[in-house]
Amino acid sequence: MAYVLRHNLTGIALDHLLRIFHELFPALIPATSYLFHKSYGQYGEYVPHFYCHQCSNYIGTKECGLTQCVLCEAEFDVEASLEKGSYFLVISLSLQIKEILENPNIKIQRHTSTPGFICDVQCGGEYRRLKDSGEIGDDDISLIWNSDGIPVFKSSRCQIWPIQCQIIELHPTDRKNNICVPCLWFGESKPNIQTLLIPFVKELQELQSNGITWGDGCTSKVHALVCSADSVARPLLQNKKQFNGIYGCDFCYHRGGGSYPYVIPEPRLRTEVEHFDNAMNATPQQPIMGVKGPSQLMKLDKFQMVQGFVPEYQHSVCLGVTRQLTSLWLDSTNHQHGWYIGTQTEQIDEVLKKISPPTEITRVPRSMQERKFWKASEWRSFLLFYALPVLNGILPRKYWNHLFLLVFAVYHLLQERIREAEVVIAEQALKKFVREFQGLYGTANVSFNVHLMTHLAASVRNWGPLWATSTFSFESFNGTLLTYFNGTTHVPVQIMKRYLRERSLTKKGATVMHNANEYVRDLFYELQGRKCSTDKSVQISAHVRVFGKSVQTDVSVLHMLAIDDLLGVRVKQASYYNRFIVNGILYHSDTNNRLQKRINSVVELQNGTLVRIVNLVVSGATHCVLVKELVKSGRKLCRDTTLNIASSFVYEVSECNIVYAIHPESLTRKCVMVESREKVYVIPLPNNIERD
């Protein structure tokens, strides 16, 4: 089954494979795919929930007993609805959560917030308020969730709309790797989202009241606290107007309706009480302040209809403002404006193509000519690491200084550990960015995404850093779901079956593989894509693993003195490694030539020093890392005197040839190196959690 799922075999391909095995090894394994699945056993179940094919009103399961829609009185028949596709699929959320909580490889992480710092969702003000007030118990579980549409075929309008959930109390990596899918809708148009929400909300109400019993009798209530959705899905979930309508902002009373110019005084923020009153009195024909009526989500006690949503940064910043700004600068339709730099595209590309980012940035920079194909992660990298050094001297100074405000704010709001004072200054920078945008680029270009920048900092205060509430992991899993079917028929059923088999495989494998030999177990883990360790690797300490073939050689005098200075030991012979992992982060030495377009050797240390890794040296029970310092010039690339901020995260450096030794644990985070205009800049990654 691991092989079938890993390589996405069709039913026919599986039949052929089984027949080949049956001919070679008769009667050892099931001869047909039917017998194969029967032998594999149960893997969970999904339930179709029906809606009216005329008005999309929710009807229920096949046991509901209805023969017509209660709203439009259209005739309802289970078989006809299955044939027409007037249904969506539901899987028990409680069973999925219980399965995750009982996984021995996954641990619940209860963060105790440090005053003055924000580190994750559990450190956000709204989460702390619910925790401190006792509304969330010590054993309770909370969710961040998402819903969005994904085109299924290039030649049709068919799309899927899954609801996805992550458990907030898991480590961010476990969060991303253990997404629950309680509902899946498929059709040629957007769903009636309120219909899709009904079984989801109903189960959440039960989980809020009764909780889940798991492990050794622990009972945890489950609360949906945060919804991270883009600006198209968000108003559907809230049952309000979209951003291009009057009062289309989800967070304040800006009139909107087209462009969103900065106004003084700033529009009032929406409140939960006002939203409730507006929703109960509004209708789709007569909306009140953009609200068209009540939402199913209002039935959830702990979920807030305003602050429970976030202006997630993947769509608002990366695919929104960053892409919009680049289009303004480079599109030939703007050739008469002062910000136009489209004639210097080749000069920009020349610098971009020389950049070799670390492996955490999975896509190397592409030409500006291909920007319409860029993914959100590429726009993120361009904004955070490339834009300021590359556009320095190309983009006119006032526009470049304006760009700095956005880069400064987003970089700080993406840090792994954010000071509350940094949130304040980031908010000031973002508001200045929006305020100056209309003067620089014109009121017509002040889009809704530009306006959303004024709400980013509040989101960080409430629910933690931008990475903690972004849609990157949800969007990534959307892409995974699209690989879960073959052909064009019964798409939602195929996806749900594949999803359930994937989840059951880990649980079944834990039992079946317990007594298997090492080769079989490693092969199983490899097919699952969760190989535990690299071949030919050696764990030399609790936090350090080396891999690849070492070079055993005499230690040079220069290296000997460096090692002696750190460890107090004269080492004459040692093993040199140019690839190693420290605390789960991969590093390469600057002599490693295996990666042509990557630099994994530029690192920031715990004390803030920037270095380039020469080698990791192992001699007996001792080991250390030899490095060369990248000396900071002290010059700031950008500065805003009004806000008294500077580009303290962008360092102009020069390399020093003096080699010294450090403990591997001193390595903190990798950096991006950019060479532009005969200068070298180094920008540390804002956090060690996000991966493209």
Side-chain angles (χ1 to χ4, degrees):
M1 181 60 80
Y3 177 82
V4 169
L5 296 177
R6 174 66 182 268
H7 297 287
N8 201 22
L9 294 195
T10 64
I12 294 175
L14 176 58
D15 262 325
H16 288 165
L17 182 67
L18 292 172
R19 283 168 58 188
I20 291 171
F21 278 128
H22 189 65
E23 291 298 324
L24 295 174
F25 314 107
L28 286 183
I29 61 171
T32 65
S33 58
Y34 169 78
L35 294 174
F36 171 80
H37 289 299
K38 185 178 179 181
S39 176
Y40 179 77
Q42 290 295 317
Y43 51 82
E45 62 178 2
Y46 54 86
V47 179
H49 284 239
F50 299 94
Y51 58 86
C52 176
H53 66 277
Q54 287 192 6
C55 67
S56 299
N57 179 54
Y58 181 75
I59 292 176
T61 62
K62 64 181 180 181
E63 289 83 15
C64 66
L66 296 176
T67 58
Q68 64 179 25
C69 174
V70 296
L71 276 188
C72 68
E73 298 184 350
E75 185 179 340
F76 167 70
D77 177 73
V78 170
E79 296 302 324
S81 295
L82 285 171
E83 188 175 337
K84 292 175 183 176
S86 301
Y87 66 93
F88 57 94
L89 301 179
V90 176
I91 304 178
S92 170
L93 178 60
S94 60
L95 290 179
Q96 294 180 68
I97 294 174
K98 182 177 180 180
E99 197 174 278
I100 294 170
L101 297 178
E102 291 180 342
N103 187 332
N105 298 318
I106 297 174
K107 304 297 181 185
I108 295 292
Q109 292 194 339
R110 307 284 183 182
H111 277 301
T112 53
S113 58
T114 305
F117 289 90
I118 301 173
C119 308
D120 199 353
V121 179
Q122 295 181 65
C123 300
E126 283 301 307
Y127 187 97
R128 293 203 311 267
R129 179 184 63 80
L130 292 167
K131 201 76 173 178
D132 294 343
S133 65
E135 294 183 63
I136 296 180
D138 291 340
D139 294 326
D140 287 359
I141 296 298
S142 55
L143 304 177
I144 178 171
W145 61 282
N146 162 274
S147 185
D148 194 10
I150 323 155
V152 175
F153 307 114
K154 291 182 179 179
S155 57
S156 78
R157 294 177 296 175
C158 291
Q159 51 187 302
I160 58 172
W161 278 71
I163 293 178
Q164 303 180 52
C165 302
Q166 297 178 0
I167 299 174
I168 290 173
E169 287 75 18
L170 299 183
H171 184 276
T173 303
D174 289 332
R175 228 181 274 165
K176 181 179 72 173
N177 294 334
N178 292 274
I179 292 179
C180 303
V181 182
C183 301
L184 178 70
W185 183 93
F186 172 82
E188 292 188 357
S189 61
K190 293 178 184 177
N192 181 333
I193 204 76
Q194 298 303 317
T195 294
L196 179 62
L197 286 172
I198 287 175
F200 175 60
V201 169
K202 183 179 179 181
E203 185 171 14
L204 281 174
Q205 287 178 298
E206 295 175 0
L207 293 174
Q208 282 182 353
S209 302
N210 304 321
I212 296 173
T213 301
W214 58 281
D216 297 327
C218 177
T219 299
S220 301
K221 293 182 178 180
V222 180
H223 311 281
L225 299 184
V226 194
C227 178
S228 178
D230 65 23
S231 296
V232 174
R234 194 163 55 241
L236 295 176
L237 296 164
Q238 292 175 306
N239 196 15
K240 63 178 297 296
K241 285 187 177 182
Q242 197 170 272
F243 58 86
N244 53 0
I246 304 297
Y247 294 110
C249 180
D250 311 304
F251 306 101
C252 74
Y253 290 112
H254 195 297
R255 195 172 189 279
S259 64
Y260 279 77
Y262 189 87
V263 293
I264 298 176
E266 294 178 3
R268 281 193 309 115
L269 297 177
R270 294 180 182 267
T271 66
E272 302 301 325
V273 173
E274 289 175 344
H275 183 93
F276 180 85
D277 291 341
N278 292 339
M280 299 310 294
N281 293 304
T283 64
Q285 295 74 30
Q286 293 183 317
I288 300 175
M289 305 303 284
V291 182
K292 298 194 290 186
S295 167
Q296 290 293 325
L297 297 172
M298 293 167 63
K299 296 178 180 179
L300 299 174
D301 293 341
K302 303 297 185 296
F303 187 78
Q304 302 177 78
M305 290 302 298
V306 179
Q307 297 204 54
F309 290 89
V310 293
E312 53 80 35
Y313 91 101
Q314 179 183 6
H315 293 90
S316 61
V317 177
C318 304
L319 293 171
V321 178
T322 307
R323 183 163 62 179
Q324 180 190 355
L325 279 173
T326 309
S327 296
L328 287 170
W329 298 331
L330 300 179
D331 285 356
S332 59
T333 53
N334 299 313
H335 70 277
Q336 293 180 332
H337 294 286
W339 64 72
Y340 180 67
I341 54 173
T343 57
Q344 301 182 68
T345 303
E346 290 185 4
Q347 188 178 342
I348 296 171
D349 286 348
E350 186 180 348
V351 180
L352 281 177
K353 290 179 179 179
K354 289 180 180 177
I355 299 172
S356 299
T359 48
E360 283 73 8
I361 300 173
T362 55
R363 296 177 183 269
V364 296
R366 287 195 280 177
S367 167
M368 279 293 178
Q369 306 287 352
E370 300 178 33
R371 65 185 181 278
K372 69 177 181 179
F373 304 112
W374 284 15
K375 303 294 185 183
S377 60
E378 293 175 275
W379 288 112
R380 173 185 178 272
S381 300
F382 178 73
L383 177 71
L384 295 178
F385 309 118
Y386 314 148
L388 288 178
V390 171
L391 298 178
N392 184 21
I394 296 177
L395 189 65
R397 181 61 57 175
K398 63 179 179 179
Y399 300 102
W400 188 74
N401 288 335
H402 178 250
L403 171 66
F404 162 66
L405 296 171
L406 178 66
V407 178
F408 173 89
V410 174
Y411 185 93
H412 282 82
L413 296 179
L414 278 170
Q415 292 178 110
E416 204 163 328
R417 184 179 170 88
I418 309 171
R419 293 184 176 87
E420 290 181 355
E422 290 177 314
V423 179
V424 173
I425 195 65
E427 184 171 42
Q428 293 174 359
L430 286 169
K431 288 187 175 181
K432 184 177 180 181
F433 172 82
V434 177
R435 189 167 61 247
E436 292 183 352
F437 197 99
Q438 61 202 60
L440 292 170
Y441 296 100
T443 302
N445 287 318
V446 186
S447 63
F448 178 60
N449 284 321
V450 173
H451 169 73
L452 279 180
M453 299 303 97
T454 63
H455 299 299
L456 281 184
S459 165
V460 172
R461 283 195 195 93
N462 292 335
W463 301 112
L466 293 180
W467 56 261
T469 57
S470 85
T471 56
F472 271 105
S473 57
F474 293 119
E475 293 282 344
S476 175
F477 195 66
N478 280 342
T480 301
L481 291 177
L482 290 179
T483 67
Y484 281 7
F485 66 92
N486 296 293
T488 59
T489 58
H490 309 296
V491 170
V493 173
Q494 288 190 66
I495 291 174
M496 280 306 202
K497 283 184 175 179
R498 169 73 183 270
Y499 171 75
L500 287 168
R501 286 169 181 157
E502 290 273 9
R503 294 187 71 90
S504 69
L505 186 63
T506 302
K507 189 174 182 180
K508 287 176 180 284
T511 304
V512 175
M513 292 294 159
H514 181 68
N515 294 319
N517 68 56
E518 185 179 354
Y519 175 78
V520 172
R521 190 164 54 246
D522 286 348
L523 179 58
F524 174 69
Y525 290 147
E526 185 176 344
L527 287 169
Q528 278 198 297
R530 59 187 184 100
K531 202 171 181 181
C532 295
S533 60
T534 308
D535 291 337
K536 300 179 181 178
S537 65
V538 179
Q539 192 83 31
I540 62 172
S541 74
H543 305 288
V544 182
R545 176 181 289 273
V546 296
F547 55 98
K549 188 176 181 180
S550 66
V551 176
Q552 295 186 350
T553 184
D554 294 336
V555 178
S556 68
V557 175
L558 185 65
H559 290 183
M560 186 188 300
L561 293 174
I563 297 169
D564 185 33
D565 190 43
L566 176 72
L567 303 175
V569 177
R570 286 292 176 102
V571 176
K572 295 183 179 181
Q573 282 194 328
S575 299
Y576 282 67
Y577 290 90
N578 59 21
R579 291 183 295 157
F580 57 95
I581 294 174
V582 180
N583 293 322
I585 301 174
L586 170 69
Y587 297 99
H588 286 176
S589 73
D590 59 359
T591 58
N592 185 288
N593 297 318
R594 294 188 63 178
L595 292 178
Q596 297 296 321
K597 294 186 177 182
R598 299 290 178 185
I599 295 179
N600 282 327
S601 59
V602 179
V603 186
E604 184 182 46
L605 305 183
Q606 288 177 347
N607 61 8
T609 303
L610 299 174
V611 299
R612 195 157 193 162
I613 296 172
V614 177
N615 272 117
L616 182 129
V617 181
V618 179
S619 178
T622 62
H623 60 274
C624 62
V625 180
L626 299 176
V627 298
K628 292 180 181 179
E629 183 175 356
L630 296 172
V631 182
K632 301 173 185 176
S633 70
R635 292 186 292 271
K636 301 299 181 186
L637 180 63
C638 316
R639 190 182 298 275
D640 186 291
T641 54
T642 306
L643 296 178
N644 193 27
I645 59 175
S647 55
S648 54
F649 53 93
V650 181
Y651 303 98
E652 182 185 334
V653 301
S654 59
E655 190 165 318
C656 173
N657 288 323
I658 299 175
V659 176
Y660 65 97
I662 61 168
H663 295 291
E665 292 75 16
S666 300
L667 302 171
T668 302
R669 53 180 175 171
K670 285 192 274 188
C671 305
V672 178
M673 178 177 280
V674 180
E675 295 183 30
S676 177
R677 297 168 65 87
E678 299 182 352
K679 293 182 180 178
V680 179
Y681 300 97
V682 168
I683 305 102
L685 299 177
N687 61 74
N688 283 324
I689 295 171
E690 276 190 302
R691 297 290 184 272
D692 288 358

